[in-house]
Amino acid sequence: MICQLCEVALDDGMLCVGCTKATRVRLEALPTLYRGLGVLLTPAGGVGQGRSGKGGPAPIPVSLDVLDVRGPGGMVEPLESWVDAVRHDRGRPEHPHPGSPEGRVDRAVGELLGHMPWIAVSWPEAGDFAREIRELARAVSSMLRPPAADRGTRIGNCPAVDPSGALCGAVLRLAPGEKAVRCEWCDTCYPPYVWAQLKTWIDEDARASDAA
């Protein structure tokens, strides 16, 4: 017998201890992640309050993907589908899911957490359930995580030498929108007309370093 998520060997059950704990943590995080997405729905531009602001269309949200997750069929639907599946397989009453999407997410997560001991030990669908919860948590987390800043194109190591003869060696990058390469450490600037020579210097320094 193996864990249905990570495939580690098990003596009994459907999920190993680690995957069970991880699934619980991801479930517990979903309501917070869901509420965090609400901040991203702030319009990109405010609607004017003066005369010209009346009657205009509402601004488009920052991300339609975020709007989809926050809507009735986004995070709510898969969670409630799993609630219904667990209720069915455990012979529990299958009640409807009324209320706002946020309240429904809270209730679905709470109910699924209550079923986790049974899911981890006895439910044949435990692997698919844990996998979908993992993917859902990752997807929403990626929406909340700011994109990595573009540091530019890596050129090589700065070949500048200071008055003492020491090589700078800091990483050179061509920043987005810039026309010249500037070392952030020693502030040496390399305009485009010296780039051929710059490459020669960088290659020579690299060979010397390899030979050392």
Side-chain angles (χ1 to χ4, degrees), residues 111-155:
E111 184 166 345
L112 290 169
L113 286 170
H115 290 297
M116 273 303 299
W118 176 81
I119 290 172
V121 173
S122 304
W123 200 29
E125 304 297 325
D128 290 338
F129 165 73
R131 193 169 295 108
E132 185 165 325
I133 295 301
R134 180 179 64 188
E135 292 169 358
L136 181 60
R138 283 178 177 174
V140 179
S141 295
S142 69
M143 294 179 186
L144 292 169
R145 190 179 304 119
D150 186 357
R151 300 181 60 196
T153 304
R154 191 183 191 282
I155 304 299

Side-chain angles (χ1 to χ4, degrees), residues 20-155:
T20 300
K21 181 178 180 180
T23 302
R24 288 191 63 91
V25 169
R26 292 176 185 126
L27 274 173
E28 290 168 350
L30 287 179
T32 301
L33 292 173
Y34 183 87
R35 284 187 280 273
L37 289 177
V39 177
L40 302 185
L41 291 178
T42 303
V47 177
Q49 299 301 314
R51 295 175 188 173
S52 62
K54 293 184 178 180
I60 296 175
V62 172
S63 170
L64 294 179
D65 289 338
V66 172
L67 186 62
D68 287 342
V69 174
R70 288 274 302 181
M75 186 184 290
V76 175
E77 185 175 307
L79 290 174
E80 290 179 344
S81 294
W82 285 115
V83 168
D84 291 341
V86 171
R87 288 175 179 176
H88 178 271
D89 288 359
R90 299 198 76 180
R92 305 290 175 84
E94 297 179 42
H95 301 299
H97 304 279
S100 67
E102 184 170 320
R104 290 163 61 186
V105 166
D106 289 344
R107 286 195 301 274
V109 165
E111 184 166 345
L112 290 169
L113 286 170
H115 290 297
M116 273 303 299
W118 176 81
I119 290 172
V121 173
S122 304
W123 200 29
E125 304 297 325
D128 290 338
F129 165 73
R131 193 169 295 108
E132 185 165 325
I133 295 301
R134 180 179 64 188
E135 292 169 358
L136 181 60
R138 283 178 177 174
V140 179
S141 295
S142 69
M143 294 179 186
L144 292 169
R145 190 179 304 119
D150 186 357
R151 300 181 60 196
T153 304
R154 191 183 191 282
I155 304 299

Side-chain angles (χ1 to χ4, degrees), residues 1-22:
M1 182 173 291
I2 61 172
C3 172
Q4 291 190 4
L5 186 61
C6 72
E7 299 186 351
V8 69
L10 292 178
D11 293 330
D12 194 16
M14 299 295 173
L15 296 175
C16 68
V17 173
C19 289
T20 300
K21 181 178 180 180

Side-chain angles (χ1 to χ4, degrees), residues 169-180:
V171 174
L172 293 175
R173 296 182 184 275
L174 179 61
E178 294 295 327
K179 301 299 184 183

